[in-house]
Amino acid sequence: MKLYYASGACSLGIHVLLNEVGADYELVKLDMRAGDLQKPEYLAVNPKGKVPAMMLDDGTILTEWPALATYIAATHPQAHLISSDPVIAARTLEAVMYINGTVHLAGFSRVMRPAVFSPNPEEKDAVRMQGKKIFGDGLALVSATLGDQDYLMGDFSVADAALFYVTFWNNAVAKVEAPANINAHYDRMMARPAVQRAMVTEGLA
Ligand SMILES: N[C@@H](CCC(=O)N[C@@H](CS)C(=O)NCC(=O)O)C(=O)O
């Protein structure tokens, strides 16, 4: 199986999950700044022009972070990345969808790509500020879910890899004042061997 990724992008969370389960995978590195995601070779893999994408050994292509995380969890049940309890499983997906859909795509994307949200260059700073607010408010909501637990669902799950990639962005770029338990979760994630390996491989350590 292959993971198509860009260094430090949201694909980092999927890279971490592949390491967590000890999957046998190859990495295909793409350079966003060089326009690799819009090149015909990559659009043939993922016509959406986004990472992450995964190609399974039979050629099946999977896209969308929550779908990839669900696939990895389902194919490596021994890793318990999604609980077998239906309520906890639903809560796990709820957290993933919120982090990916709101904190990342509604919040951080406004900070990084304001022009996608408003074609008016004069609105760039306002869009960025709005994105930072959505991002910070989102982390505050996730903080309430985390509470005093080590991981979002109590035990480590796919939701922690989602929280990890947005907190990695917070520490590297957005720099909003995150709640103490969110920062502690980031430190806890950074100490995991699967995360350390992904960071070194992506040239982020
Ligand atoms: N809904 C997609 C979003 C993926 C996404 O936005 N990926 C970003 C990197 S974090 C990307 O590929 N951006 C390239 C672009 O928008 O040109 C998912 O959850 O996988």
Side-chain angles (χ1 to χ4, degrees):
M1 141 172 97
K2 289 182 188 169
L3 171 67
Y4 295 82
Y5 82 104
S7 176
C10 55
S11 43
L12 175 61
I14 298 298
H15 190 176
V16 165
L17 291 176
L18 289 171
N19 287 347
E20 288 284 351
V21 300
D24 185 14
Y25 65 93
E26 276 173 54
L27 287 169
V28 182
K29 183 174 181 172
L30 298 156
D31 183 342
M32 277 205 261
R33 288 201 183 134
D36 286 354
L37 274 64
Q38 294 307 321
K39 288 184 181 158
E41 307 87 277
Y42 187 61
L43 292 174
V45 174
N46 182 4
K48 298 171 195 164
K50 306 272 185 201
V51 286
M54 271 171 42
M55 186 186 283
L56 309 186
D57 292 343
D58 67 358
T60 301
I61 307 278
L62 297 176
T63 66
E64 300 298 322
W65 205 103
L68 270 51
T70 304
Y71 174 81
I72 294 167
T75 49
H76 299 84
Q78 74 289 351
H80 303 291
L81 289 178
I82 297 180
S83 172
S84 54
D85 178 294
V87 174
I88 301 175
R91 289 256 179 266
T92 308
L93 195 57
E94 183 182 43
V96 165
M97 297 301 287
Y98 183 72
I99 292 166
N100 176 257
T102 299
V103 182
H104 166 185
L105 290 161
F108 192 73
S109 297
R110 277 186 165 77
V111 177
M112 294 305 285
R113 309 274 301 273
V116 172
F117 295 87
S118 169
N120 182 351
E122 284 174 16
E123 288 178 0
K124 194 166 86 177
D125 289 345
V127 172
R128 282 209 161 113
M129 274 178 60
Q130 189 189 29
K132 231 171 158 167
K133 177 157 173 36
I134 295 168
F135 186 82
D137 289 352
L139 288 183
L141 269 171
V142 178
S143 159
T145 303
L146 180 60
D148 59 6
Q149 307 176 102
D150 281 356
Y151 296 106
L152 278 168
M153 297 298 131
D155 293 328
F156 182 84
S157 75
V158 293
D160 297 295
L163 180 55
F164 171 67
Y165 82 74
V166 294
T167 49
F168 169 70
W169 290 343
N170 191 37
N171 282 274
V173 185
K175 298 188 190 295
V176 304
E177 203 172 317
N181 64 344
I182 293 287
N183 289 331
H185 180 274
Y186 178 70
D187 293 344
R188 204 169 290 124
M189 287 297 293
M190 286 292 266
R192 290 181 78 90
V195 173
Q196 288 171 6
R197 240 179 83 206
M199 296 289 287
V200 169
T201 307
E202 297 201 12
L204 302 167

